[in-house]
Amino acid sequence: NQGLYRVDALARQATRLTLPGADANFPVYVLLLQRGKLWVGGGSEGLWEVDPCSMRGAPGALAARRIDGLSDKRVLALAPDPAGSLWIGTRHGLNHFDPVSGTLERILPDPADPGALADGIVSALLTDRGGRLWVGTYGGGIDVMEGRGPDGRPRFHRLGLAQGLANENV
């Protein structure tokens, strides 16, 4: 809850790292190393793509860029997509980001639509061996992405109390 730190190989010293233009004390909730980039997400400062090589030098600002346009700046979960893109769970929806093209898709909840994302607080993400995305939500159970509808929107199969969950907070 007090920023991003680098710890030496012997875990004896921690050094604060700062992201350019970000509050040095922002809470870091999730880290993911994917294809040579470190993804850093947390409360109030959104998602950052960091060059891990910039972490090796003297303390100071990192070589990093903020990913703008997410459904919410409070990032709670990250998962790699097998194709190299990134799934991002926030406190208000799911996002799909392609770091190569820079395209960002925002997927917002619609509890009235049984095939849509059930709840906006996305607390856990996992891609299974079959390439399906599992989305754990706080209040809507689990949504499993089954593909896309004719309109191109993601379609989900919902798992909740009726399917055996003890409660719908994942």
Side-chain angles (χ1 to χ4, degrees), residues 15-130:
T15 304
R16 181 189 295 269
L17 302 174
T18 57
L19 298 166
D23 177 356
N25 291 314
F26 88 92
V28 175
Y29 297 149
V30 62
L31 300 169
L32 174 68
L33 186 61
Q34 179 194 33
R35 298 185 179 197
K37 297 293 180 186
L38 176 65
W39 297 96
V40 179
S44 73
E45 293 292 341
L47 179 68
W48 290 80
E49 178 185 25
V50 177
D51 178 358
C53 293
S54 70
M55 299 172 82
R56 294 184 187 140
L62 300 173
R65 71 174 173 139
R66 185 188 326 243
I67 307 305
D68 292 319
L70 298 175
S71 58
D72 192 292
K73 288 184 178 182
R74 298 164 295 175
V75 176
L76 303 176
L78 296 172
D81 182 273
S85 57
L86 184 66
W87 291 103
I88 306 151
T90 72
R91 289 197 44 98
H92 186 63
L94 177 66
N95 302 265
H96 189 224
F97 179 66
D98 181 351
V100 175
S101 68
T103 57
L104 177 70
E105 176 185 21
R106 295 167 30 135
I107 303 162
L108 300 177
D110 184 356
D113 179 354
L117 188 64
D119 192 85
I121 302 176
V122 176
S123 56
L125 295 168
L126 175 95
T127 303
D128 68 17
R129 289 184 212 169

